[in-house]
Amino acid sequence: MAEVALIRRRFGLKLGRASGNAGVYIAFAVLLIALGFAAPRFFTVGNLTDVLRQAVPIAVIAFGATFVIGMRGIDLSVGSTLALTGLATANLVVLAYPIPIACLAGLCVGAFIGLVNGLLITKVGITDFIATMAIMVISRGVVMVYTQGIPITGASDPAFRSIGQSYLAGIPVPVILTVVVFAAAYYLLYYTRFGRFVLSIGSNPDAARLVGIPTDTVKIMVYVLVGVLSSFAGIMLTSRLEAAMPEAGQGYELDVIAAVVIGGTGLSGGRATLVGTAVGAVLMAVVRNALNLLNVNTFWHQVVIGTIILLAVAADRFNRSRRA
């Protein structure tokens, strides 16, 4: 804690955990009650299981994105990273490579994309928005060129299927893996020097640099982290579908940002809440599930998600102004 204490004394920075938006939890409870009346099927065991499964990819990526946004950054390439990982992993599974090798290769794809993002931002000097948007377009283009828009099917190895389809004590394995990722991310962000460095950079990057924090190295590691978690989400999704879908992950950027910001992590950096991110990810899955149950035209889904993002950002701005 010496680094944080030094930064606080010298620059008066406010670092640490955000408590989340209390309004989000209230809205979540109200939404669940309303769904109970509007769509009785929502509270069936099968539908609730589907909601948790739908929340898994967004939640896993959002845990990494919490580090990025807590560091006052952004990553728009997460959905394309997921798709490219699914393509690489499914290809190796279809070619009968050992499952651990196929999954490791998929994780390496995410680590490489995260490394490229980090280097473009820290060494080349491109803004995070432009750098990650460019990588998003390039990665999606590679997927489309390779697949010609046709899914890669046949990834039906039993060991691979078990990652995304099996159960343990009645709980879907992807949900259990998500909890494990959450616990690891929670420890990393709040109980390690790396996590304190991330929040210090988000609070004031110049001050963090002046007290000796290796800001470029930390930023690169954060983008590698979110890349690896995007790949992990891609592996679980590919396992569940037994195929790599070219359009997989489209729009995930919005859902991930919404989950993080709704949960209480401020876009201004320096504060982050992983618990809020988990709630935000489930909330996004509930909203999409509710729209489907209520037979809302799919064209309206993005309108609803965009509105939620606007409201979350407005709430973040209001909270910052009130704290100031």
Side-chain angles (χ1 to χ4, degrees), residues 102-291:
C103 293
L104 180 61
L107 294 176
C108 287
V109 169
F112 176 74
I113 292 176
L115 178 63
V116 172
N117 281 332
L119 291 175
L120 288 174
I121 294 165
T122 60
K123 304 304 181 184
V124 182
I126 302 175
T127 61
D128 48 11
F129 182 87
I130 298 299
T132 59
M133 182 175 64
I135 296 301
M136 172 188 73
V137 175
I138 292 170
S139 300
R140 184 68 64 180
V142 170
V143 171
M144 290 301 180
V145 168
Y146 185 88
T147 63
Q148 295 297 302
I150 301 173
I152 304 296
T153 59
S156 54
D157 183 283
F160 184 64
R161 286 204 313 268
S162 66
I163 299 173
Q165 300 182 26
S166 59
Y167 289 78
L168 183 62
I171 303 173
V173 167
V175 175
I176 296 173
L177 293 175
T178 301
V179 173
V180 172
V181 171
F182 169 81
Y186 193 92
Y187 176 80
L188 184 63
L189 183 59
Y190 299 126
Y191 294 100
T192 68
R193 176 180 297 182
F194 174 73
R196 295 192 289 272
F197 284 174
V198 168
L199 296 178
S200 299
I201 293 170
S203 184
N204 191 322
D206 294 328
R209 189 179 299 109
L210 286 173
V211 297
I213 293 176
T215 54
D216 285 356
T217 301
V218 172
K219 287 181 179 180
I220 291 172
M221 292 174 66
V222 167
Y223 281 101
V224 170
L225 173 64
V226 73
V228 170
L229 290 181
S230 299
S231 288
F232 186 51
I235 290 170
M236 288 193 289
L237 182 62
T238 304
S239 170
R240 180 161 68 91
L241 300 176
E242 299 183 28
M245 311 301 291
E247 69 278 6
Q250 285 185 345
Y252 274 29
E253 303 82 12
L254 296 178
D255 285 12
V256 166
I257 294 172
V260 175
V261 176
I262 287 172
T265 297
L267 292 171
S268 56
R271 296 172 66 83
T273 166
L274 281 166
V275 174
T277 295
V279 174
V282 175
L283 177 60
M284 297 306 298
V286 168
V287 168
R288 289 194 177 277
N289 182 261
L291 293 173

Side-chain angles (χ1 to χ4, degrees), residues 20-30 262 283 315 319:
N21 293 329
V24 172
Y25 304 119
I26 296 173
F28 190 38
V30 171
I262 287 172
L283 177 60
N319 288 334

Side-chain angles (χ1 to χ4, degrees), residues 54-66 178 181 229 233 256 259 277-278 281-282:
Q54 291 168 14
V56 161
I58 298 299
V60 169
I61 299 173
F63 295 150
T66 302
T178 301
V181 171
L229 290 181
V256 166
T277 295
V282 175

